[in-house]
Amino acid sequence: MKTYIVFPDDVQDFMPVNDMLLPAHEFSKHGAICATSEQFFNGELITNVKEADTVIIYITIKAEDQIEKFKNLKCYKVLRNVDPAKSDGILFKNDLNLHRKVNFNCMLIGVCSERNLNHLAKKGVKTIKFPHVLDFSGQPSPDDVFSAKEGDIILSGQQHAKFYPVRHRLGEYFLHQEEKYSVCFLPHPGFKLSESRHKFIGPAYINLVSKFWAGPVGTGHADGFHMKFLEFAKAYTLPIGNVPSYMDERAKNLVLQAGIDESDSEMEKLIFDLFSDKEKLMERIVEYSEILKETNGLQVNVKRVFDMINNREYDVIPK
């Protein structure tokens, strides 16, 4: 029984390398065979697929001829979803459209909130929870990181008032508080490596974040457990903002939940109190990092998902 992972053809130019390539590399350690859509559908790989084999489609299939080939392929079919909705807010619209054409056996869900899982269950879709994961190996000691901190706040990622309202509110606050806090603003690099605005991507981004004590993250409009929550954990930097509904409760309580619905003066006090005791802040950061390493580490989660797929097990089965 073999497992194949099929990526969009432009995966090598996809900026969030931790979303696709690193988990796929970990899957390959368990024997999975990775290929782009072009390599899988138009090469010899597809001809080798047996009925007992698993084919995991990352994100989608766009070409109609490839959709038709996959529809007629006899195997165990899995879709890996990362983003539950586009700007129109319709949950799993593209995924369910593709599902109706090819009939997936299950979906791996990145934003695995109860709302999303229940929505898919009502559509008759079996699901496995597969939130963002990160490789924490090689993480330096917290003492080494804390002694090298250079500033207070890093602002990074998309700063959109509609789609990331909490992050945007916090960003606007910190940009006008440079007399109180040392602030660094890093624009979003874009989604293509070949067109990136800067070099701070992947490990280089984590290294930069590690120079600061905290920064706005937030869930955005889609209850997202964004990679930043993990990258901040590896960098020993505390996230500020709202938290995903499906984050570990211990970690939720350690994130500074500010910039949400409190008044400006209340938000300012929460942030001031955070920075008023660096010893407590360091303890809080270390505890947060350890919890995220436990719950969202790359190796343990990929093995769990791989085993569930091979055993035909699910986190949610439609009633």
Side-chain angles (χ1 to χ4, degrees):
M1 187 167 64
K2 295 181 179 179
T3 299
Y4 298 84
I5 298 178
V6 182
F7 294 118
D9 289 324
D10 60 354
V11 65
Q12 294 293 343
D13 198 31
F14 187 54
M15 181 277 293
V17 293
N18 290 323
D19 290 3
M20 284 200 227
L21 289 178
L22 293 188
H25 178 67
E26 191 64 27
F27 273 121
S28 70
K29 294 179 182 178
H30 296 276
I33 300 165
C34 300
T36 64
S37 291
E38 175 69 23
Q39 291 167 338
F40 181 79
F41 288 107
N42 298 331
E44 294 183 1
L45 284 176
I46 193 170
T47 64
N48 298 325
V49 175
K50 303 294 190 295
E51 191 167 349
D53 293 342
T54 297
V55 178
I56 303 173
I57 300 294
Y58 256 71
I59 312 300
T60 192
I61 313 170
K62 292 183 178 179
E64 287 299 327
D65 63 322
Q66 295 178 355
I67 292 174
E68 190 65 22
K69 288 180 181 179
F70 195 58
K71 174 184 175 182
N72 296 322
L73 189 65
K74 288 181 169 52
C75 65
Y76 186 78
K77 301 173 183 178
V78 180
L79 178 65
R80 167 53 162 151
N81 166 274
V82 175
D83 190 352
K86 303 303 180 185
S87 58
D88 59 15
I90 301 174
L91 285 176
F92 301 101
K93 180 176 70 174
N94 295 339
D95 308 279
L96 289 171
N97 284 341
L98 184 60
H99 173 56
R100 282 187 280 270
K101 295 178 181 179
V102 305
N103 193 26
F104 288 104
N105 294 95
C106 83
M107 293 187 189
L108 310 178
I109 304 303
V111 181
C112 44
S113 64
E114 289 300 313
R115 172 178 178 245
N116 290 346
L117 296 174
N118 289 337
H119 179 82
L120 290 170
K122 290 177 182 178
K123 302 291 184 180
V125 178
K126 299 172 184 175
T127 52
I128 296 174
K129 299 176 184 178
F130 191 16
H132 281 315
V133 295
L134 188 64
D135 185 2
F136 281 83
S137 62
Q139 186 184 28
S141 74
D143 289 341
D144 288 344
V145 175
F146 292 147
S147 65
K149 295 285 186 185
E150 297 176 1
D152 296 318
I153 295 292
I154 181 164
L155 307 176
S156 61
Q158 298 189 56
Q159 304 290 326
H160 197 288
K162 178 180 179 181
F163 298 118
Y164 293 89
V166 173
R167 188 189 300 172
H168 180 267
R169 181 187 178 192
L170 288 164
E172 288 295 303
Y173 170 77
F174 282 116
L175 285 174
H176 293 88
Q177 299 294 325
E178 292 189 344
E179 74 283 357
K180 295 182 181 178
Y181 304 102
S182 172
V183 179
C184 169
F185 174 70
L186 181 72
H188 192 281
F191 287 102
K192 290 186 176 182
L193 289 173
S194 60
E195 300 174 1
S196 60
R197 296 184 180 93
H198 54 72
K199 64 180 181 180
F200 298 106
I201 294 169
Y205 174 72
I206 294 172
N207 184 59
L208 177 65
V209 170
S210 73
K211 307 296 183 186
F212 300 86
W213 288 101
V217 176
T219 66
H221 68 110
D223 197 18
F225 197 139
H226 300 298
M227 188 61 69
K228 281 183 176 55
F229 283 106
L230 299 176
E231 291 165 330
F232 274 46
K234 187 170 183 178
Y236 290 115
T237 300
L238 192 72
I240 303 175
N242 58 337
V243 294
S245 61
Y246 48 101
M247 176 184 263
D248 185 284
E249 289 297 326
R250 297 168 298 165
K252 284 183 183 180
N253 293 330
L254 293 166
V255 173
L256 180 66
Q257 296 188 44
I260 305 168
D261 53 11
E262 73 277 13
S263 68
D264 289 345
S265 60
E266 289 171 330
M267 178 181 73
E268 189 168 27
K269 185 177 187 307
L270 286 169
I271 295 167
F272 175 83
D273 290 346
L274 179 74
F275 282 94
S276 64
D277 190 330
K278 283 290 175 64
E279 289 297 324
K280 286 186 178 179
L281 177 55
M282 286 188 282
E283 292 174 4
R284 185 171 183 167
I285 290 171
V286 171
E287 187 175 356
Y288 173 78
S289 179
E290 290 301 313
I291 292 169
L292 269 289
K293 192 186 307 183
E294 171 194 329
T295 59
N296 291 76
L298 172 72
Q299 292 80 3
V300 65
N301 276 281
V302 167
K303 185 179 187 306
R304 173 185 59 82
V305 171
F306 189 78
D307 289 345
M308 289 184 73
I309 291 171
N310 284 336
N311 295 328
R312 308 311 191 224
E313 298 173 343
Y314 313 96
D315 284 313
V316 179
I317 301 175
K319 296 179 180 178

